[in-house]
Amino acid sequence: MKIAPSILSADFTCLKDELQAVEEAKADYIHIDVMDGHFVPNITIGPFIVEAVRRASTLPLDVHLMIEKPENFIDDFAKAGSDIITVHLETSKHLHRTIQQIKELGVRAGVSINPSTPAEALEEVIEEADLILVMSVNPGFGGQSFIPASLKKIKKIRKMLSACHSKAELEVDGGIKPSNIGEVARAGADVFVAGSAVFGSDDYKRTIKTMKEEIGVTE
Ligand code: DX5
Ligand code: ZN
């Protein structure tokens, strides 16, 4: 069970402090949202910022590519220090090849699906993936509401993963907060992205602790 704060909602005027604060608050991954203004209607950050985040945090970098032709940028994001690179199924014409490309660089490979993409679309690649990322909002912006139909999809994918004895992580992204993280965990997710819920709160430590308690993580 892991919490992955998304820096999309962090204060970029003091990114190093923000990264240190979530690390001290016992975040497990740093989630980095890369948007290109084509696949999603927003532009965010590139490999240059990922490389800076790499120097400012010791946590694994969970890089979520919401970009077209992701295969053209995988080398750059790997060199920048990504530990996980997730591509969208909707963006990669040769997804099987793209997954191998990520793994050959020694990086864990994730596959993400939009709310409108059925779980079944993952069938042919699920055994290859190190992580499946279910979007529980339409990608592009932080601070949107969790789409309830995602719960059914998470349950379905959890079953698909068990059926092939996969050890892949099942991550959920969008609208996760202390009040709904429990039911998302019960549906079968084990990595939880939280942008506005963490960086929009005034006490990151307390927020992450509450979220962990809700999913039964106590230390
Ligand atoms: C949305 C991004 C998310 C976003 C989550 O396109 O992929 O990672 O930052 O933000 P919240 O947790 O605020 O929904
Ligand atoms: Zn994301």
Side-chain angles (χ1 to χ4, degrees):
M1 293 287 195
K2 297 187 174 96
I3 306 287
S6 161
I7 60 166
L8 192 59
S9 297
D11 181 351
F12 272 68
T13 62
C14 52
L15 189 54
K16 188 177 181 179
D17 298 339
E18 294 278 69
L19 289 165
Q20 279 171 359
V22 289
E23 192 159 345
E24 274 165 29
K26 299 206 165 64
D28 300 284
Y29 288 163
I30 297 295
H31 185 84
I32 305 179
D33 288 307
V34 176
M35 306 186 187
D36 67 350
H38 292 278
F39 177 58
V40 291
N42 195 4
I43 300 177
T44 55
I45 64 188
F48 180 75
I49 302 287
V50 174
E51 194 271 327
V53 174
R54 176 69 296 158
R55 285 185 281 117
S57 177
T58 65
L59 292 177
L61 304 187
D62 171 28
V63 176
H64 178 192
L65 299 185
M66 286 160 277
I67 63 175
E68 283 178 7
K69 297 193 176 31
E71 57 281 356
N72 293 352
F73 297 94
I74 281 161
D75 267 13
D76 293 342
F77 283 102
K79 276 198 201 101
S82 309
D83 296 278
I84 304 166
I85 295 179
T86 296
V87 298
H88 267 261
L89 179 144
E90 300 86 1
T91 61
S92 184
K93 285 198 180 126
H94 303 287
L95 183 57
H96 189 278
R97 181 188 289 153
T98 306
I99 293 170
Q100 306 313 325
Q101 189 188 345
I102 297 171
K103 288 179 166 181
E104 275 162 20
L105 293 164
V107 176
R108 293 170 61 206
V111 176
S112 182
I113 55 172
N114 277 340
S116 61
T117 302
E120 289 76 10
L122 292 165
E123 213 168 282
E124 302 302 328
V125 292
I126 197 159
E127 290 184 46
E128 305 294 327
D130 297 308
L131 179 146
I132 301 292
L133 172 55
V134 174
M135 286 309 300
S136 44
V137 297
N138 287 293
F141 305 94
Q144 304 180 77
S145 300
F146 182 87
I147 298 171
S150 314
L151 290 172
K152 209 171 114 198
K153 194 191 274 186
I154 295 160
K155 284 183 192 151
K156 216 181 257 183
I157 297 172
R158 174 50 69 200
K159 277 195 190 140
M160 290 165 73
L161 288 169
S162 313
C164 64
H165 308 288
S166 168
K167 289 195 171 62
E169 291 186 300
L170 179 47
E171 181 174 39
V172 180
D173 185 3
I176 302 287
K177 40 187 197 265
S179 60
N180 63 13
I181 193 169
E183 61 177 342
V184 181
R186 285 190 292 279
D190 51 18
V191 183
F192 306 87
V193 177
S196 49
V198 171
F199 288 107
S201 73
D202 32 296
D203 187 340
Y204 303 167
K205 210 173 252 175
R206 199 182 56 216
T207 305
I208 291 176
K209 188 167 179 279
T210 307
M211 291 181 117
K212 288 198 169 185
E213 281 165 4
E214 290 290 331
I215 55 175
V217 180
T218 45
E219 344 140 69

